[in-house]
């Protein structure tokens, strides 16, 4: 797909405008984002991505549009894991809800830059060493299997998940040794001047951990998207649109994250499928086989996995609530 510099310049200008709107128009300083507003903003970001997707269809054709939508759906679904981590980060560093959006904004801004580097490096490697496709595919399969194994261990009670304190992580401890720190959070700034000395605050530590976790998640998501397309414009724009809506999605789902019990199972299945597709399609291409797994099939399978997992999670939640009500009434009758 030929994409001239005008499209890149236009896209970059669009992103800058959207970031400025998000920072100065959509949110007020120190505002606690409520669920209703977060849902409307999530609808806005998703609609914007779909409009951009339609633009790709009319300018570049059906196949690039399908690739964009599939890549966007993959990135959006895999980024749900980030939402669980955001909750852990803000809990560990005691970031008040009214300051969380500002921290996430700068975290997402850093992610836009790092994703560009990761995507460029990934595509460059694939163009120079085609066999890297096997490595990426194998890595996704192994990650998917590991996720399933972790779920099974947790269900059997072999591994009890405890709430972690990110203050005890090695990179936070190292940062505290290198950079002078203060625990004073009375002023919502990343750095402050105390006794004529510049020191970092817990807001900076939270931002640092957000950037670190995004790099970790990118190791999974970038190869997964490269299984759909190796076109730099498609891969990067789909990633950026998925990331831009991540903050609003976090505030919209923050209170109901525990209800998506089966979503992680779907994410592991998606990684297994995409990794297998990556290996199979590359093998078929290098050995002159006619059959391959098309983008449409990938889109249908990924969509089905997400929908089924969400539906199953909702049914499970309703059954648990119904069971709790029955037990409550039984206890009342007993008393």
């Amino acid at each position: 797909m030929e994409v001239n510099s005008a499209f890149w310049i236009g896209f970059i200008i669009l992103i800058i405008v959207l970031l400025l709107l998000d920072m100065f128009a959509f949110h007020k300083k120190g505002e606690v984002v409520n669920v209703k507003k977060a849902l409307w903003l999530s609808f806005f970001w998703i609609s914007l991505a779909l409009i951009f997707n339609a633009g790709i269809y009319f300018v570049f054709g059906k196949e690039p549009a399908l690739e964009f939508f599939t890549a966007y759906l993959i990135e959006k679904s895999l980024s749900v894991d980030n939402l669980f981590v955001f909750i852990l980060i803000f809990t560990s560093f005691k970031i008040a809800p009214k300051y969380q959006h500002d921290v996430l904004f700068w975290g997402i801004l850093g992610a836009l830059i790092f994703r560009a580097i990761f995507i460029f490096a990934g595509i460059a490697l694939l163009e120079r060493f085609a066999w890297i496709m096997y490595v990426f595919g194998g890595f996704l399969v192994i990650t998917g299997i590991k996720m399933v194994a972790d779920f099974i261990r947790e269900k059997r009670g072999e591994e009890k998940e405890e709430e972690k304190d990110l203050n005890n992580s090695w990179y936070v401890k190292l940062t505290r040794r290198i950079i002078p720190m203060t625990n004073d959070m009375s002023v919502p700034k990343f750095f402050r001047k105390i006794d004529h000395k510049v020191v970092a605050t817990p807001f900076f530590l939270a931002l640092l951990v957000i950037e670190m976790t995004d790099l970790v998640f990118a190791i999974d998501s970038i190869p997964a998207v490269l299984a759909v397309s190796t076109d730099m414009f498609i891969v990067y724009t789909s990633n950026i649109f998925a990331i831009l809506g991540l903050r609003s999605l976090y505030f919209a789902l923050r209170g109901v994250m525990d209800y998506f019990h089966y979503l992680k199972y779907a994410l592991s299945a998606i990684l297994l499928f995409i990794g297998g597709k990556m290996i199979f399609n590359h093998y078929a291409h290098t050995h002159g086989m006619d059959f391959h797994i098309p983008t449409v099939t990938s889109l249908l399978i990924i969509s089905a996995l997400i929908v089924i997992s969400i539906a199953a999670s909702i049914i499970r939640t309703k059954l648990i609530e119904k069971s709790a009500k029955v037990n409550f009434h039984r206890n009342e009758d007993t008393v």
Side-chain angles (χ1 to χ4, degrees):
M1 188 177 88
E2 292 293 330
V3 180
N4 59 43
S5 57
F7 285 100
W8 279 107
I9 294 169
F11 177 72
I12 292 169
I13 292 172
L14 173 65
I15 296 305
I16 292 171
V17 170
L18 289 173
L19 287 171
L20 291 173
L21 283 172
D22 189 37
M23 191 63 175
F24 300 108
F26 295 163
H27 296 92
K28 296 176 183 177
K29 193 75 174 176
E31 177 191 21
V32 178
V33 182
N34 58 47
V35 174
K36 184 178 178 181
K37 183 175 181 179
L39 285 170
W40 277 111
L41 285 171
S42 295
F43 176 76
F44 168 78
W45 291 116
I46 293 170
S47 299
L48 200 64
L50 294 177
I51 292 169
F52 188 84
N53 196 184
I56 290 177
Y57 175 81
F58 288 114
V59 176
F60 299 108
K62 180 181 176 181
E63 190 61 29
L66 270 174
E67 289 178 354
F68 175 91
F69 185 71
T70 306
Y72 175 77
L73 188 61
I74 290 171
E75 181 62 37
K76 199 73 172 174
S77 59
L78 292 178
S79 66
V80 171
D81 258 4
N82 289 41
L83 305 185
F84 291 96
V85 177
F86 289 162
I87 294 172
L88 180 60
I89 291 170
F90 291 137
T91 302
S92 294
F93 297 105
K94 298 179 174 61
I95 307 297
K98 62 181 179 180
Y99 301 132
Q100 290 177 7
H101 179 271
D102 290 347
V103 176
L104 283 177
F105 175 86
W106 293 106
I108 296 301
L109 190 63
L112 300 183
I113 298 169
F114 289 125
R115 290 299 175 101
I117 296 170
F118 269 60
I119 290 168
F120 178 80
I123 291 174
L125 282 171
L126 286 174
E127 288 178 350
R128 190 164 183 179
F129 309 104
W131 54 266
I132 291 289
M133 192 71 79
Y134 290 126
V135 177
F136 285 169
F139 177 77
L140 293 178
V141 170
I142 291 169
T143 304
I145 293 171
K146 185 179 181 299
M147 286 177 70
V148 173
D150 290 341
F151 297 149
I152 293 171
R153 279 199 298 269
E154 284 177 20
K155 200 166 184 180
R156 288 177 177 174
E158 294 174 11
E159 192 176 279
K160 188 177 180 181
E161 188 176 349
E162 298 178 354
E163 190 172 336
K164 298 176 183 177
D165 185 358
L166 293 174
N167 281 290
N168 296 323
S169 60
W170 66 268
Y171 44 86
V172 170
K173 289 180 178 178
L174 182 63
T175 303
R176 288 184 180 277
R177 289 179 183 176
I178 297 173
I179 303 174
M181 303 291 302
T182 178
N183 290 322
D184 187 357
M185 299 176 67
S186 58
V187 180
K189 293 183 177 180
F190 295 122
F191 294 93
R192 291 183 60 191
K193 198 169 185 179
I194 299 176
D195 297 330
H196 307 289
K197 188 178 181 181
V198 177
V199 294
T201 69
F203 295 103
F204 172 76
L205 281 177
L207 176 63
L208 178 68
V209 177
I210 286 173
E211 298 293 5
M212 290 285 290
T213 52
D214 182 72
L215 289 176
V216 173
F217 281 115
I219 295 172
D220 288 338
S221 65
I222 298 303
V225 174
L226 289 175
V228 176
S229 174
T230 54
D231 185 280
M232 180 74 175
F233 188 76
I234 295 295
V235 175
Y236 187 63
T237 54
S238 60
N239 252 261
I240 297 314
F241 274 109
I243 292 172
L244 284 175
L246 196 57
R247 294 185 308 286
S248 300
L249 192 62
Y250 164 74
F251 290 108
L253 301 179
R254 179 175 49 183
V256 294
M257 291 301 291
D258 291 337
Y259 289 108
F260 296 100
H261 180 77
Y262 295 112
L263 187 57
K264 287 196 173 186
Y265 289 87
L267 298 183
S268 62
I270 288 171
L271 288 176
L272 286 167
F273 167 71
I274 295 171
K277 175 199 168 183
M278 214 171 188
I279 295 170
F280 178 80
N281 278 5
H282 186 67
Y283 180 85
H285 175 73
T286 54
H287 289 77
M289 297 169 62
D290 293 330
F291 182 77
H292 72 286
I293 302 172
T295 305
V296 176
T297 303
S298 300
L299 178 59
L300 291 173
I301 291 174
I302 292 165
S303 301
L305 287 169
I306 294 170
V307 171
I308 291 169
S309 70
I310 292 174
S313 298
I314 293 171
I315 292 169
R316 176 183 181 272
T317 301
K318 288 184 176 180
L319 289 173
I320 290 173
E321 289 175 352
K322 186 177 179 181
S323 176
K325 286 180 181 178
V326 170
N327 290 332
F328 176 75
H329 289 305
R330 281 178 181 173
N331 290 334
E332 276 192 331
D333 292 338
T334 303
V335 174

